[in-house]
Amino acid sequence: MRRLPTVALFGHAVLTQVVTFVLRPTASYRALELDVPASWLGALSACFALVPLVLALPAGHVVDRVGERRVLVAGSVLMAGAAAVFAFLDGGLPGLLAGSVLLGTAHLCCVVGQQALVANAASGRGLDSAFGYYTFAASLGQLLGPLLIPVFGGGGSIPDTGPIFLGTFLVGTLLVVFAAPLPSSRTGRERAAGGSVGLGPLLRLPGLARALTTSCVVIAAVDISLVYLPALGAERDLSAGLVSALLALRAAASMVSRVLLGKLSAALGRTRLLVGSVAMAAVGLACCALPVPVWALVAAVVVAGLGLGVGQPLTMSWLAESAPPGARGRAMSLRLTGNRAGQVVVPAAVGAVAAGLGAAGVLGLTAVTLAWTGYLARRLSVD
């Protein structure tokens, strides 16, 4: 891929996550402003997450048929439109729900289009580096997004949501600018041929179930750490500043492992790296669950972060390389569907089993789940 499209793609990936990670928490703040019952906050989250579960596979099919650029442009317009719904339509709770649905649809189009473009623009071992850099850009956007909330809305316990929505709408319009120079990786004839490939060849890929299981457990572990590290801090009387630093360290460590993914994969091999990274994440979270001093907790979080950063891009690159020609959009959307299902099922199951054991019990059980996943991944040939 040439320099301008590459810069545009990674800029688009950063902005997609920035807008998403500003709008989602700000929608919750607006709901609190409106005195919406706490039970409806879950509905806001579900409206965003439900769309990828239902539409991910059709979206991947569309990418393979019409090309990545059209889907990315459509997703960018929808993303700006979602911000506009939040900013300009004072529809109360129905408006928030509608905006969340639109945001989930936009995010799906952008992410599937981005991942398919990366998959089709690289090949072989270059896929590892390409997806490492891509997921680094996405992580950077997730890190920067929440920082814009106090910039636009002030530092109160409930920020002024109006300026945040308006500022995010302006940022969202930049997505269309970044989408303009993005190419489609395939010709019209190749897209037509790819559109005839069904899901069957994908579902018959050797090791697909193990790869999707590894991917969804790793991303569920990330979500669990985001929720239960603050709860662990509250149980152990750690300051909010220290907990925030731990979460930032976890994210930064994952970003480091993603930047180095190509070199690590070349040195260790994909299978060894995948199994080792899942084992690192398991050890790190298990140590977090133990009554360790603060310095050891910091080290454990860094180890967990380094391990959790590898699973997503490595399974992306394996799936992209294994997918039949012309079906990489559907391959990426199939992985996304599995991830979203895992984000719903795994935390609920872990929380139910570890009920009464506190945050440490949940983190410990998550470590056991990761260890078992890593054991199963030993038989996954991704080299």
Side-chain angles (χ1 to χ4, degrees), residues 50-373:
L50 186 61
V51 173
L53 271 176
V54 175
L55 297 181
L57 289 176
H61 183 75
V62 171
V63 168
D64 290 330
R65 288 300 301 266
V66 307
E68 301 92 342
R69 183 178 181 274
R70 292 182 182 180
V71 175
L72 285 167
V73 170
S76 302
V77 172
L78 288 174
M79 187 76 74
V85 168
F86 287 122
F88 302 119
L89 296 183
D90 187 14
L93 180 59
L96 292 177
L97 294 174
S100 295
V101 169
L102 192 58
L103 179 62
T105 306
H107 183 266
L108 170 67
C109 292
C110 290
V111 169
V112 171
Q114 291 161 4
Q115 292 179 6
L117 188 56
V118 174
N120 286 318
S123 60
R125 288 293 177 180
L127 283 165
D128 296 339
S129 294
F131 275 112
Y133 291 133
Y134 166 73
T135 51
F136 172 87
S139 296
L140 180 61
Q142 294 170 9
L143 186 65
L144 293 177
L147 299 180
L148 291 181
I149 292 177
V151 172
F152 290 141
S157 58
I158 297 182
D160 188 354
T161 57
I164 299 175
F165 285 140
L166 181 59
T168 308
F169 168 70
L170 297 176
V171 174
T173 59
L174 292 176
L175 275 169
V176 182
V177 176
F178 275 90
L182 291 175
S184 282
S185 61
R186 308 178 69 81
T187 65
R189 180 177 297 178
E190 288 172 326
R191 291 197 298 268
S196 64
V197 178
L199 274 180
L202 289 177
L203 296 175
R204 289 192 294 270
L205 289 176
L208 177 68
R210 288 189 179 92
L212 294 184
T213 298
T214 302
S215 180
C216 79
V217 169
V218 168
I219 198 169
V222 172
D223 283 0
I224 288 170
S225 70
L226 289 174
V227 173
Y228 283 97
L229 277 177
L232 184 73
E235 290 179 0
R236 298 182 180 177
D237 200 26
L238 302 177
S239 69
L242 175 58
V243 172
S244 297
L246 291 174
L247 292 173
L249 281 172
R250 201 282 311 160
S254 293
M255 292 168 72
V256 169
S257 62
R258 286 172 172 179
V259 166
L260 298 175
L261 185 65
K263 294 181 179 179
L264 292 172
S265 175
L268 300 174
R270 284 178 181 165
T271 301
R272 188 177 299 174
L273 177 59
L274 182 62
V275 173
S277 67
V278 174
M280 282 182 65
V283 170
L285 289 184
C287 290
C288 289
L290 299 175
V292 296
V294 170
W295 66 265
L297 182 61
V298 170
V301 166
V302 171
V303 170
L306 289 170
L308 290 171
V310 172
Q312 294 302 304
L314 205 57
T315 52
M316 283 183 197
S317 62
W318 171 80
L319 189 56
E321 190 172 26
S322 303
R328 283 176 166 174
R330 270 158 290 178
M332 295 299 104
S333 64
L334 182 64
R335 194 194 66 87
L336 181 61
T337 301
N339 281 356
R340 289 296 182 265
Q343 285 176 292
V344 173
V345 174
V346 175
V350 168
V353 173
L357 299 179
V362 172
L363 292 172
L365 187 56
T366 303
V368 172
T369 305
L370 281 167
W372 178 248
T373 302

